[in-house]
Amino acid sequence: MTRLNTMDISDISNRINIYDRELKKTLGYTLEEIAKKSVRAFYSDSIYKEYKVAVIPVTSGMGIINGFCETVSDILKHIRANVFVTEKTDVGGIQEAFEKNADIIFMSDDDTCAAFSLNGKVYSDNGYVTGVAFAAALEIMMEKEGEEVLILGAGPVGIAAAQYFSQIGAIPVICDLQEDKARDVASKIKNAKVEKSLKNLNKYTYILDASTSGDFIKEEDIKETTIISAPGIPLGAAKEIRDKVFIFHNPLEIGIMTMYFDCLNQLMEGKQNEY
Ligand SMILES: NC(=O)c1ccc[n+]([C@@H]2O[C@H](COP(=O)([O-])OP(=O)(O)OC[C@H]3O[C@@H](n4cnc5c(N)ncnc54)[C@H](O)[C@@H]3O)[C@@H](O)[C@H]2O)c1
């Protein structure tokens, strides 16, 4: 996982309304609708106000990314969640969230971004839900069932996406710089295949970029119909192709929203995820 920096998130709060309107126009779905689709959250928004969310700043490791907690809170406010950022950090923040009756807490350090419930066995992992949410966005754009989808990167995000595609009857084709890793992941997922070479990208119409490399998908790797769903940071699509193909990419928004719905599902159904 790549650590975000202040620049990656600086305009999310200001742009989220515009971004969402653009998505509705191009995809027919808002971020909230994609997030709910990805984790099969079928309830109406009247339920949101019943659950209070606290975002807790964490100072360990390299410390707090400037504006991170406020941005997470703004993303959740955008979908009308009942959310606040704790004044205290770390353990003090957990205590404050508990005292203020938060149902769900969001916390992040250098390696992990997760949400938990303070009153039940509820947990959502950002890597997992990001994989399924970007897969759901790509599914919206797929023309028919049973299509091949190239997944670049066999880390937690790529694995979750591959599982999602397998479950909807698509064929996940996994490609990683470490071929062994791709082979190992593919062997555990129904219908999954391995793509050995990054030179074959233009064979695929649908690409899910869950890699950590930037600017490596070039002109010769795409065709007119290529569609890229890209959780990966930095963006794998090189600058020269960004206006030529449809790219669904955001560094935080859909992942945070999907964690929220993943937690609500578990709180309402009393069911824990199998990660
Ligand atoms: N957009 C979001 O909301 C969001 C949320 C979580 C993670 N992410 C990002 O998603 C990406 C994947 O996360 P992760 O935790 O699975 O990462 P990871 O580091 O565990 O796995 C990434 C994998 O990509 C492979 N890889 C790197 N460059 C490649 C290339 N050019 N072609 C093929 N494979 C390549 C690596 O070998 C590695 O196995 C990271 O960039 C992470 O920061 C984004």
Side-chain angles (χ1 to χ4, degrees), residues 21 27 39 94 120 138 153 157 178 195 207 217 259 264 272:
R21 275 200 298 274
L27 269 187
V39 291
I94 300 175
L138 200 50
V157 176
Q178 301 168 53
E195 171 56 71
I207 299 178
I217 307 174
M259 288 166 80
L264 289 198
Q272 225 183 333

Side-chain angles (χ1 to χ4, degrees), residues 175-211:
C175 177
D176 197 290
L177 293 180
Q178 301 168 53
E179 200 188 310
D180 285 358
K181 200 169 166 183
R183 217 175 304 121
D184 182 51
V185 168
S187 71
K188 295 176 186 146
I189 296 175
K190 193 175 160 206
N191 288 336
K193 297 188 197 167
V194 174
E195 171 56 71
K196 290 185 188 162
S197 172
L198 277 170
K199 292 202 175 110
N200 292 332
L201 299 196
N202 66 7
K203 269 175 43 189
Y204 301 89
T205 302
Y206 304 106
I207 299 178
L208 192 135
D209 172 20
S211 77

Side-chain angles (χ1 to χ4, degrees), residues 51-157:
Y51 297 98
K52 202 189 253 190
V53 181
V55 183
I56 301 171
V58 175
T59 61
S60 67
M62 291 169 75
I64 300 169
I65 300 163
N66 209 1
F68 181 82
C69 294
E70 294 70 22
T71 303
V72 170
S73 168
D74 287 343
I75 291 168
L76 293 172
K77 277 185 190 149
H78 178 72
I79 52 170
R80 304 167 306 288
N82 180 1
V83 56
F84 67 100
V85 179
T86 58
E87 284 162 29
K88 293 187 194 145
T89 67
D90 307 300
V91 178
I94 300 175
Q95 183 187 42
E96 183 183 331
F98 187 79
E99 283 169 357
K100 291 181 176 165
N101 293 318
D103 298 286
I104 305 166
I105 56 174
F106 276 67
M107 300 176 78
S108 240
D109 64 14
D110 295 347
D111 302 312
T112 305
C113 173
F116 309 89
S117 159
L118 286 177
N119 42 19
K121 277 191 171 176
V122 169
Y123 160 66
S124 183
D125 174 68
N126 179 259
Y128 174 83
V129 299
T130 295
V132 300
F134 278 82
L138 200 50
E139 181 194 3
I140 290 165
M141 295 177 274
M142 287 162 69
E143 290 194 345
K144 49 185 188 341
E145 286 179 10
E147 301 262 25
E148 286 193 338
V149 183
L150 181 67
I151 296 171
L152 299 167
V157 176

